[in-house]
Amino acid sequence: MSGDTGATAPTLPAGGASGTGARGARGAISLGIDVGGTKIHAVAIDQHRRVRAEYQQPSGQGDAALLESLVHTVDVLVQHVGIGVNDVESIGIGVPGLVDRATGRVRNAVNLGVTDLALGPLLSERLRLPVTLENDVNVAAIGASLVRTPAVGSLAYLNVGTGIAAGLVLGGRVWPGARGFAGEIGHVPLDHDGLLCPCGQRGCIETIASGSGIARAWPTVHPVPVLDLLDAVAAGDPRAVEVWGRFTRTLGRAVQMLAAAYDPEAIVLGGGISRVGAPLLDAVRAALREQATRSAFLTALGSADRLSLLEDADHVAPIGAAVVGATPAA
């Protein structure tokens, strides 16, 4: 947990927070909350998109517990900033599951114990503030587009964690798709005779190019299987080299699909697995370049040159949520 972050907090490109006048003593404040399966991470940003405070706590499990944990998070944040709840301009929340931004409902957030909850309206009623809900990968995509240097007009954020999915940012806004499924690249099957995926299909990208895919292919007692796998790769273990190669090649396929389908200026790797850092980026780029040697189309696509790792990984999701909450719907 932390209080006011002061001058050490990240500063993002200006604009986006709603309103130009200061409602509170510290300026127009918007709150952004990233809800994970085990942790809530929240920030308060001002009208210049500077982080003024941040706070973390465990996520509540189930409808009632989740709602109460979010109310508590808001209360703590405004205390850290030194304003009242009524001085908050807006609240944006990134939450896993299928999110209907128009109604504020979230469905099938399995890791939170939520099946169908009108989270936005319920929280707005409790706090008497506008609340906007968005999918967690989408808010991270917005945050990634803000911290990236140089800035780009279009970006695909590929979140590689327990599963794998992408958030698409076009012209500064998330593109959710007609039914909210844009970027669900993890459930594109590559092998119809492959492993059974939780989605009901077989051989999906997610069964290989994800944290759960690594844990399945490389059983270990290590709390972070990918680190144990990389240690074994460094030691020259042939089986580890095979598993790592299959993982990075399949992740490369996901990058290629995003480049071919959406043609974004940049593709950014994020999520828990991305914390491996340069070894992951280098391996995926190498796989992409090797695949391109056999295809003039892939050479022209230039997927490897579009790929980078997420900057400021600790803040992008809650910052993105704050910006989504402070941005009027299209």
Side-chain angles (χ1 to χ4, degrees):
M1 300 178 187
S2 62
D4 193 338
T5 55
T8 62
T11 300
L12 305 175
S18 62
T20 56
R23 292 178 63 181
R26 308 234 3 223
I29 296 295
S30 299
L31 307 185
I33 305 174
D34 176 42
V35 181
T38 59
K39 181 184 71 175
I40 288 173
H41 185 190
V43 298
I45 66 172
D46 63 20
Q47 66 267 43
H48 303 295
R49 288 182 178 164
R50 293 176 299 206
V51 174
R52 307 311 302 248
E54 67 178 308
Y55 177 72
Q56 297 183 37
Q57 71 166 61
S59 304
Q61 294 292 310
D63 295 0
L66 176 61
L67 183 63
E68 292 304 321
S69 63
L70 289 170
V71 170
H72 176 71
T73 296
V74 171
D75 287 342
V76 172
L77 268 183
V78 297
Q79 289 175 29
H80 285 339
V81 180
I83 61 175
V85 172
N86 292 337
D87 294 313
V88 173
E89 291 281 340
S90 61
I91 300 174
I93 302 176
V95 62
L98 184 60
V99 175
D100 186 333
R101 184 172 177 179
T103 64
R105 300 193 75 89
V106 57
R107 297 179 175 88
N108 302 321
V110 179
N111 291 337
L112 295 172
V114 171
T115 301
D116 186 354
L117 177 64
L119 182 59
L122 288 171
L123 189 58
S124 183
E125 182 180 1
R126 285 283 300 273
L127 298 173
R128 300 189 182 280
L129 289 169
V131 175
T132 301
L133 252 61
E134 183 57 89
N135 175 266
D136 58 341
V137 176
N138 286 344
V139 300
I142 285 288
S145 72
L146 292 171
V147 302
R148 190 184 187 280
T149 304
V152 293
S154 59
L155 176 144
Y157 167 73
L158 188 56
N159 188 79
V160 189
T162 302
I164 178 172
L168 307 168
V169 179
L170 307 175
R173 291 184 179 272
V174 165
W175 170 248
R179 299 188 179 184
F181 289 104
E184 286 291 350
I185 199 167
H187 298 300
V188 175
L190 297 180
D191 179 4
H192 293 286
D193 296 319
L195 295 169
L196 182 64
C197 180
C199 77
Q201 302 183 98
R202 286 190 174 274
C204 291
I205 287 175
E206 187 170 297
T207 63
I208 302 169
S210 66
S212 59
I214 288 178
R216 186 185 302 111
W218 187 257
T220 175
V221 297
H222 195 287
V224 186
V226 67
L227 296 181
D228 187 63
L229 173 62
L230 283 173
D231 285 344
V233 169
D237 185 308
R239 173 61 180 156
V241 171
E242 177 187 351
V243 170
W244 180 244
R246 188 174 185 225
F247 168 78
T248 54
R249 287 193 302 272
T250 304
L251 187 53
R253 293 295 187 192
V255 171
Q256 284 177 348
M257 288 179 186
L258 289 170
Y262 300 103
D263 198 23
E265 294 176 64
I267 301 172
V268 178
L269 285 177
I273 299 298
S274 73
R275 293 180 183 274
V276 167
L280 176 66
L281 180 63
D282 293 345
V284 177
R285 280 178 171 168
L288 288 167
R289 287 177 175 137
E290 193 278 329
Q291 290 159 3
T293 61
R294 301 186 297 276
S295 167
F297 170 76
L298 293 181
T299 298
L301 194 61
S303 301
D305 296 329
R306 306 183 194 216
L307 190 63
S308 63
L309 281 174
L310 179 64
E311 302 172 38
D312 193 24
D314 290 336
H315 291 92
V316 292
I319 287 172
V323 171
V324 166
T327 304

